[in-house]
């Protein structure tokens, strides 16, 4: 990547711009594949799934060393994502930055996104964030999509950072339980109690 002589690189410029943003209530900003993306917070149906998932994960993890977090900045090489839910250590340290604006992606064991309606939102979770979480080596990514084929859950495991892809991808319709195969939430089931019932 070319940069002005003795000047900051583009990632640094985007990072500084993101840090300086002041958004109106109800919006959030992420740095995804080198660009700042601003999006509104989710609809009520989105919030219900996220809340059920976070509450169920918190109960499952109990008082152990891992916890479920919601709407937390995850930072990786000056990229910033805000997963709907993530699992990381209870005594999580802030990202190594003076402003403590997030957590280091290396500490995150699981990310979950609940997709929103609309092509741009679908592309963000199905394509761009899928690649970003793989690049960061997040061990497990779960995508809950209320709008795809009348509801589907996709489980991504085995990140391949160099390829920005995953070794194993399993997609099932609502009404089929998905059991997390590894990590601190191993054995946790994502089923109808979280997604709602099978449709169609």
């Amino acid at each position: 990547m070319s940069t002005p002589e003795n000047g900051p690189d583009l990632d640094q410029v985007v990072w500084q711009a993101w840090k300086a943003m002041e958004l109106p209530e109800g919006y959030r900003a992420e740095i995804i594949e080198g660009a700042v993306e601003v999006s509104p917070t989710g609809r009520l149906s989105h919030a219900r799934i996220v809340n059920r998932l976070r509450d169920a994960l918190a109960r499952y993890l109990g008082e152990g060393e891992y916890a479920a977090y919601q709407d937390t900045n995850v930072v990786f090489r000056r990229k910033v994502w805000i997963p709907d839910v993530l699992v990381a250590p209870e005594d999580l340290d802030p990202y190594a930055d003076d402003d403590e604006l997030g957590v280091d992606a290396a500490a995150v064991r699981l990310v979950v996104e609940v997709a929103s309606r609309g092509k741009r939102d679908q592309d963000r979770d199905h394509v761009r964030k899928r690649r970003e979480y793989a690049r960061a080596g997040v061990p497990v990514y779960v995508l809950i999509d209320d709008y795809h084929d009348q509801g589907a859950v996709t489980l991504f495991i085995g990140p391949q950072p160099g390829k920005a892809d995953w070794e194993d991808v399993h997609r099932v319709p609502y009404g089929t339980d998905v059991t997390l195969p590894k990590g601190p939430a191993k054995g946790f089931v994502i089923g109808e109690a979280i997604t709602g019932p099978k449709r169609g």
Side-chain angles (χ1 to χ4, degrees), residues 109-164:
R109 311 320 308 149
L110 164 72
V111 291
V112 182
E113 296 286 1
V114 178
S116 297
R117 186 191 307 261
K119 180 170 180 8
R120 182 174 168 266
D121 294 326
Q122 289 280 312
D123 287 348
R124 181 178 58 242
D125 294 329
H126 281 272
V127 180
R128 294 187 305 280
K129 280 193 168 182
R130 169 186 174 153
R131 290 191 297 241
E132 289 282 59
Y133 292 142
R135 284 184 187 109
V138 174
V140 181
Y141 172 34
V142 176
L143 176 58
I144 300 173
D145 191 341
D146 221 30
Y147 304 102
H148 196 259
D149 286 345
Q150 301 188 38
V153 178
T154 307
L155 173 66
F156 302 88
I157 53 175
Q160 298 177 303
K163 295 180 179 180

Side-chain angles (χ1 to χ4, degrees), residues 36-110:
V36 176
E37 293 194 24
V38 177
S39 58
T41 53
R43 300 168 183 246
L44 180 58
S45 60
H46 179 277
R48 284 182 174 143
I49 292 172
V50 170
N51 286 338
R52 288 193 297 255
L53 175 65
R54 187 200 173 277
D55 291 348
L57 268 170
R59 287 191 300 272
Y60 188 83
L61 295 168
E63 299 297 319
E65 67 177 285
Y66 287 89
Y69 296 82
Q70 189 171 338
D71 291 329
T72 303
N73 294 331
V74 174
V75 182
F76 176 72
R77 296 181 184 165
R78 296 195 183 113
K79 308 295 188 288
V80 181
W81 317 299
I82 308 171
D84 290 310
V85 177
L86 66 90
V87 170
E90 175 71 43
D91 61 350
L92 193 57
D93 290 327
Y95 179 72
D97 181 270
D98 292 340
D99 298 315
E100 298 186 357
L101 293 173
V103 300
D104 193 324
V108 175
R109 311 320 308 149
L110 164 72

Side-chain angles (χ1 to χ4, degrees), residues 18-39:
W18 174 82
K19 285 174 57 173
M21 291 182 79
E22 292 185 25
L23 296 174
E25 187 174 338
Y27 287 84
R28 62 187 192 170
E30 301 172 282
I31 303 174
I32 303 173
E33 296 193 328
V36 176
E37 293 194 24
V38 177
S39 58

Side-chain angles (χ1 to χ4, degrees), residues 1-13:
M1 175 190 312
S2 63
T3 61
E5 191 171 331
N6 299 323
D9 66 15
L10 183 58
D11 284 345
Q12 179 66 22
V13 171

